Amino acid sequence: MIKIDFNKNWKFRKAGTDRPWRKLCLPHDAMLEEKRDPKCESGSAGAYFPGGIYEYEKEMEVSAEWADKKITIEFEGIYGKSEIWVNERYVGKIVYGYTEARFDLTDYLHFGAGNKIYVRVDNHEMPNSRWYTGSGIYRPVTLYVQDQMHIQLHGIKVNTISYNPARIAVSAAHAGGNAEIQILDGECVIAAAKGDEAEFTLPGAKLWDDETPDLYRCRVFLTDGDKVVDTQESIFGIRMVEWSPQGLFINGKETLLRGGCLHHDNGIVGACAYEESEERRVRIMKENGFNAIRSAHNPCSRAMLDACDRLGMYVMDETWDMWYQHKSKYDYATEFMDNYKEDIRTMVEKNYNHPSVIMYSIGNEVSEPAKEEGKELAKEMIELCHKLDGSRAVTAGINLMIIANAAKGKEMYHAEGGINTEAAGDIGGDEQSAQMPDMSRMDSTMFNSMTQMVGSNMNHSADGEEADCATSPILDMLDIAGYNYASGRYPMEGKAHPDRLIFGSETFPHEISKNWKMVKQYPYLIGDFMWTAFDYLGEAGIGAWSYSADAMGFEKPYPWLAGGAGVIDLTGNPDGEALYARTVWGKNDEVLLAVTPANHPGEEVIKSAWRGTNAIPSWSWRGCEGNAVTVEAYTKAPHVRLYLNEALLAEKDTTDCKAVFEAEYRPGVLKAVGTDEEGNEIMAGMLKSAAGNLQLSIQPEKEYVQPGEILYVAINICDKDGIVESNADELISIEVQGGELLGFGSARQRTEESFLDKEATACYGRTLAAVRVLDEQVCIAVKGVTLPESSMTI
């Protein structure tokens, strides 16, 4: 088999305009090129980006020697509805924007001549999602050339059937010929067998889990007599998933999931699923203590799964955000019933050999299981998952109150899409919803009170018997039940439902300490997935804490861009809540510090229920001397002493791994010392202020790069020692030689700037660039409005 990277030398244009065709490489996000519009029908959910109809075209010479071959094209993801044409002949379509698809092109090609592949992407109907989707061919494309006698694409299946001893079952689907299977550790063949199916015992094999992500290769040869006619390989890990009301077990070891929900976009490069971008997010999450990802709310990319395999990250791969009832006017619900079986089959096939995938989710916050037809559909989908892959658990992100309300005839979403405000008011229960203040006469204090009330009451909205009765049918069908915002039920489920295994599939980040205590206390509660790990585009401002007057309300107006709910910002920098979670999970051995912004003296921050703080790890607020700040110290130590420039400010006991201090900003060194009960120092941490003249630093995330790779570069405002200054933001411009600038921007959640421009305003002193390397060397030059030019050759 010949596997061809089919991402280069495409042409692109927006249909119905006079824009000329232009050359580009895939993946590509056409939506990121659109001009945002405050009147756009995508609204705050889609970050005010319009959609459109887009055309992609690629010309290719097809060798005459391929005339007797089988030619297949694979699209890993196109958003939204797309049609594929070859040489002006219709080949097929893709309806769901997050599922991959393959098409046999053999009968459409001219061999020994030129050929034209054309893709038309229709994403003009808005709104069609509750978040930023991107548009176009946003995931990679691959071309496969095979003999008529061949191994089926992705036809190798590896399943762990025992971990002590390590034993695997392998099957190879093929057309014609005879198969021979090899298992390799590095370049060493450690086992081999002939035939389509084989079982191997591997003495001394290394098992895969989040702490030791050891991988092997399975290689399959297809022979015709003495001739090898095809070869394929698949990476796998030896990993068995088991579950019971006593917990989740990976290779026999009880495992707790330190999880984060993750939308599919990659911030400054939009929806583009570059390999480096996907791995970067996994790496940063791993560095911050996470060991699990929920792909909210659609199947994730192959590149994401590959990264999770390599780095050791468990994955709950999710199918859809809706079933047959609309949440947005033009979403996938209309096409759902015609395609859901194939969607599941495709997802399972993609995931089968990835040890990182431990659960399949059949949906997020759907209300259909309140009715008999919805329950029957759920049962059918669960059985299909089990039939295709019996080695993994089936789950869903169930919002218990949504189903309970639907059972009473109060659907959360209107039939044509959009929130039903009457049902939404019941999220806190009837008594709480009756206390909701009038939004039209709301000031920031009232709004903050309301959001905090909604947040805390949402967790208890399904505590009653009525909600339990309405949701038990679907929850008991699932192998493991996912609870969205229903932590109030955690303590009671052991007695109420002794056979049920559960986890928090969507929770508030600031409640991680309370939730994690319960995870460790109750064997049937296996983990927590906070909303969200990384910030994302769309659902604009839903999680933001802001000093902007337009931040009140759940749907923020233009120019709000990002959700603001991520504990890691759009550019990959963790905030106080990420540091807090890392501490609660026991993943740091020092005191971690975060400070509320010092540059808003006397202003009241407008809060969101999805956050508990807006503190960031910075003690550098130039020009803010004397301003009041809140200092949060995160530590397992029972007591904390806080020092500023070696002077003791205060000493406090920690509560739930946190000590909170009120202070005045003064430049210098802020140090926290964690002490034991006898007052002995057991750990410490510090933050420093930037000193002297400021400059622009260029910090590539990799030391060496090759042409074709994508390089992320942090461009920060800092002092000579690299300490970032948080209160000197200004417009920064960038020039790149020897590479293509794919995206440049900051973590600002409210902005009119475009990531495709060469200018961006820093956010707390930080910006980020993504560059595709074209030459052996890349030169990056940056300058600010007041800051002098800085450059680096990589």
Side-chain angles (χ1 to χ4, degrees):
M1 179 182 73
I2 303 172
K3 181 179 179 180
I4 300 171
D5 181 333
F6 213 58
N7 295 305
K8 298 177 181 178
N9 299 318
W10 285 80
K11 293 190 297 182
F12 165 80
R13 70 181 179 187
K14 184 173 182 178
T17 70
D18 57 0
R19 300 178 193 175
W21 290 95
R22 79 171 197 274
K23 288 186 178 180
L24 53 74
C25 291
L26 304 178
H28 172 249
D29 181 358
M31 183 174 280
L32 210 59
E33 300 182 12
E34 297 285 0
K35 181 175 175 57
R36 297 171 66 212
D37 183 352
K39 297 180 181 179
C40 179
E41 292 181 345
S42 71
S44 63
Y48 302 97
F49 278 95
I53 300 174
Y54 309 98
E55 298 175 300
Y56 294 84
E57 188 174 281
K58 182 178 174 69
E59 296 180 359
M60 62 174 295
E61 292 287 328
V62 178
S63 171
E65 298 178 357
W66 290 0
D68 60 346
K69 306 290 186 182
K70 176 182 173 67
I71 317 296
T72 306
I73 192 168
E74 179 179 72
F75 295 92
E76 290 190 30
I78 307 176
Y79 204 96
K81 302 172 186 176
S82 56
E83 295 180 348
I84 292 84
W85 299 69
V86 173
N87 296 324
E88 300 185 350
R89 295 173 60 196
Y90 176 74
V91 175
K93 65 180 179 179
I94 303 174
V95 180
Y96 187 37
Y98 298 104
T99 195
E100 60 185 35
R102 294 188 293 274
F103 301 95
D104 187 342
L105 303 186
T106 308
D107 294 337
Y108 298 87
L109 295 172
H110 304 316
F111 295 94
N115 292 262
K116 183 180 293 184
I117 298 175
Y118 171 81
V119 180
R120 184 181 187 272
V121 184
D122 186 346
N123 194 32
H124 82 280
E125 291 182 324
M126 294 285 168
N128 61 42
S129 177
R130 297 188 303 114
W131 56 84
Y132 175 89
T133 61
S135 293
I137 310 178
Y138 70 99
R139 288 180 180 171
V141 182
T142 304
L143 193 73
Y144 298 93
V145 182
Q146 299 173 289
D147 288 338
Q148 295 301 318
M149 187 181 294
H150 60 271
I151 303 165
Q152 301 288 358
L153 291 179
H154 311 302
I156 301 171
K157 289 186 176 181
V158 184
N159 182 34
T160 301
I161 55 178
S162 171
Y163 55 85
N164 187 20
R167 188 165 179 81
I168 60 173
V170 181
S171 65
H174 57 92
N178 299 295
E180 179 179 339
I181 301 169
Q182 293 182 344
I183 306 301
L184 294 88
D185 183 0
E187 297 302 319
C188 178
V189 176
I190 59 174
K194 293 184 178 181
D196 302 347
E197 298 181 354
E199 292 187 5
F200 300 97
T201 300
L202 305 174
K206 296 165 286 188
L207 305 181
W208 188 99
D209 62 20
D210 63 315
E211 296 178 351
T212 57
D214 294 298
L215 296 170
Y216 293 84
R217 281 186 296 154
C218 179
R219 178 185 293 160
V220 176
F221 296 101
L222 193 67
T223 60
D224 182 15
D226 295 331
K227 181 182 178 182
V228 175
V229 294
D230 198 9
T231 305
Q232 275 193 42
E233 289 189 356
S234 183
I235 304 295
F236 71 95
I238 300 170
R239 187 273 299 125
M240 176 173 280
V241 185
E242 297 171 294
W243 58 91
S244 73
Q246 282 68 52
L248 173 71
F249 300 88
I250 304 297
N251 299 324
K253 177 183 175 183
E254 184 179 12
T255 300
L256 303 179
L257 302 177
R258 307 185 302 273
C261 300
L262 202 65
H263 268 315
H264 75 291
D265 76 75
N266 275 298
I268 63 170
V269 295
C272 294
Y274 300 116
E275 180 180 335
E276 295 88 342
S277 304
E278 300 287 64
E279 179 165 297
R280 181 177 186 267
R281 285 198 291 170
V282 177
R283 171 178 56 79
I284 292 172
M285 286 183 64
K286 188 81 174 180
E287 291 169 353
N288 283 279
F290 291 90
N291 74 345
I293 286 171
R294 176 190 180 201
S295 66
H297 304 289
N298 44 260
C300 61
S301 69
R302 287 182 177 268
M304 174 65 73
L305 295 181
D306 290 342
C308 290
D309 290 346
R310 290 191 298 269
L311 299 178
M313 185 73 74
Y314 299 120
V315 176
M316 164 184 161
D317 207 12
E318 195 155 79
T319 45
W320 319 276
D321 182 48
M322 81 298 293
W323 290 355
Y324 53 78
Q325 293 181 183
H326 286 278
K327 291 186 178 180
S328 301
K329 185 175 181 179
Y330 296 108
D331 66 21
Y332 186 57
T334 302
E335 294 85 11
F336 178 85
M337 291 304 294
D338 292 332
N339 295 281
Y340 72 91
K341 292 180 183 179
E342 181 63 15
D343 291 344
I344 290 174
R345 188 199 64 77
T346 301
M347 182 183 72
V348 171
E349 179 186 84
K350 176 200 67 174
N351 293 345
Y352 198 92
N353 290 351
H354 287 280
S356 56
V357 180
I358 61 172
M359 286 190 280
Y360 299 120
S361 169
I362 58 170
N364 171 67
E365 294 193 340
V366 293
S367 60
E368 286 89 337
K371 301 176 182 178
E372 286 304 315
E373 57 265 37
K375 295 171 189 175
E376 288 300 314
L377 177 60
K379 180 182 177 181
E380 181 183 343
M381 291 192 289
I382 293 167
E383 290 176 348
L384 179 57
C385 288
H386 286 160
K387 179 180 178 181
L388 295 170
D389 180 3
S391 71
R392 292 176 171 94
V394 180
T395 186
I398 300 296
N399 189 308
L400 283 70
M401 198 64 245
I402 286 179
I403 292 179
N405 274 339
K408 295 187 294 184
K410 295 182 179 181
E411 292 284 356
M412 176 62 76
Y413 298 94
H414 290 296
E416 64 175 18
I419 293 285
N420 181 338
T421 54
E422 179 184 358
D426 284 350
I427 285 295
D430 292 336
E431 181 178 348
Q432 287 81 12
S433 62
Q435 300 171 7
M436 289 291 185
D438 182 355
M439 290 282 289
S440 66
R441 293 191 294 272
M442 188 177 298
D443 61 17
S444 60
T445 300
M446 293 171 63
F447 181 78
N448 288 341
S449 298
M450 187 200 74
T451 56
Q452 298 311 307
M453 183 178 69
V454 169
S456 61
N457 284 317
M458 197 184 302
N459 289 323
H460 295 281
S461 60
D463 289 359
E465 184 177 348
E466 186 177 22
D468 188 29
C469 291
T471 57
S472 283
I474 177 62
L475 294 172
D476 288 337
M477 287 183 201
L478 300 166
D479 297 317
I480 306 176
Y483 285 27
N484 282 17
Y485 308 109
S487 59
R489 291 205 62 89
Y490 295 171
M492 61 183 77
E493 297 302 64
K495 291 183 178 180
H497 302 284
D499 296 328
R500 189 180 295 175
L501 187 64
I502 67 175
F503 66 99
S505 43
E506 201 165 309
T507 63
F508 296 113
H510 53 279
E511 296 185 337
I512 184 60
S513 180
K514 179 185 71 174
N515 290 340
W516 199 247
K517 285 179 181 178
M518 291 190 283
V519 169
K520 293 194 294 183
Q521 179 179 358
Y522 304 120
Y524 54 84
L525 179 62
I526 65 170
D528 177 274
F529 287 78
M530 66 177 65
W531 189 269
T532 57
F534 254 85
D535 203 9
Y536 55 94
L537 303 178
E539 283 194 311
I542 188 174
W545 278 30
S546 173
Y547 300 92
S548 174
D550 63 1
M552 288 191 296
F554 295 104
E555 294 187 0
K556 306 293 192 294
Y558 179 89
W560 281 87
L561 171 68
V567 302
I568 301 168
D569 71 23
L570 279 180
T571 57
N573 296 294
D575 67 8
E577 290 192 323
L579 305 185
Y580 184 39
R582 192 194 310 177
T583 303
V584 169
W585 291 329
K587 295 302 173 181
N588 67 277
D589 55 4
E590 60 181 330
V591 183
L592 300 177
L593 289 166
V595 181
T596 58
N599 53 357
H600 294 277
E603 298 180 55
E604 182 178 1
V605 63
I606 298 171
K607 300 177 181 179
S608 160
W610 272 268
R611 301 195 67 80
T613 183
N614 62 340
I616 64 171
S618 173
W619 189 251
S620 194
W621 302 92
R622 188 162 296 200
C624 297
E625 289 79 356
N627 290 355
V629 295
T630 299
V631 177
E632 300 183 5
Y634 315 118
T635 176
K636 289 284 190 177
H639 312 285
V640 176
R641 297 176 189 146
L642 187 68
Y643 298 85
L644 178 57
N645 298 327
E646 300 185 358
L648 179 65
L649 294 182
E651 182 173 1
K652 286 194 174 185
D653 298 338
T654 57
T655 302
D656 294 333
C657 299
K658 182 193 299 185
V660 180
F661 302 84
E662 301 303 322
E664 290 184 356
Y665 175 73
R666 296 278 186 264
V669 178
L670 184 72
K671 181 179 180 180
V673 174
T675 63
D676 61 19
E677 296 294 355
E678 287 73 41
N680 301 308
E681 179 178 336
I682 55 177
M683 59 179 62
M686 68 174 63
L687 296 171
K688 295 182 179 181
S689 304
N693 293 331
L694 297 176
Q695 60 189 25
L696 289 172
S697 71
I698 301 172
Q699 301 171 10
E701 294 187 356
K702 289 194 294 186
E703 188 174 352
Y704 302 103
V705 290
Q706 299 292 328
E709 293 181 350
I710 293 169
L711 176 67
Y712 277 88
V713 184
I715 299 161
N716 299 330
I717 300 170
C718 60
D719 67 6
K720 62 181 178 59
D721 296 321
I723 298 173
V724 176
E725 172 53 53
S726 298
N727 194 40
D729 291 342
E730 62 180 64
L731 190 68
I732 299 170
S733 60
I734 184 171
E735 292 291 339
V736 177
Q737 294 182 346
E740 177 188 1
L741 183 65
L742 299 175
F744 179 49
S746 74
R748 288 180 176 269
Q749 297 157 10
R750 183 184 184 276
T751 180
E752 294 190 82
E753 296 174 351
S754 168
F755 296 134
L756 300 183
D757 289 342
K758 295 182 178 181
E759 294 182 331
T761 302
C763 179
Y764 296 131
R766 300 177 184 273
T767 65
L768 182 70
V771 177
R772 177 184 282 118
V773 178
L774 300 178
D775 298 335
E776 294 298 326
Q777 289 187 326
V778 177
C779 180
I780 297 175
V782 294
K783 63 179 179 180
V785 176
T786 66
L787 297 168
E789 181 173 331
S790 179
S791 64
M792 173 181 282
T793 299
I794 305 162

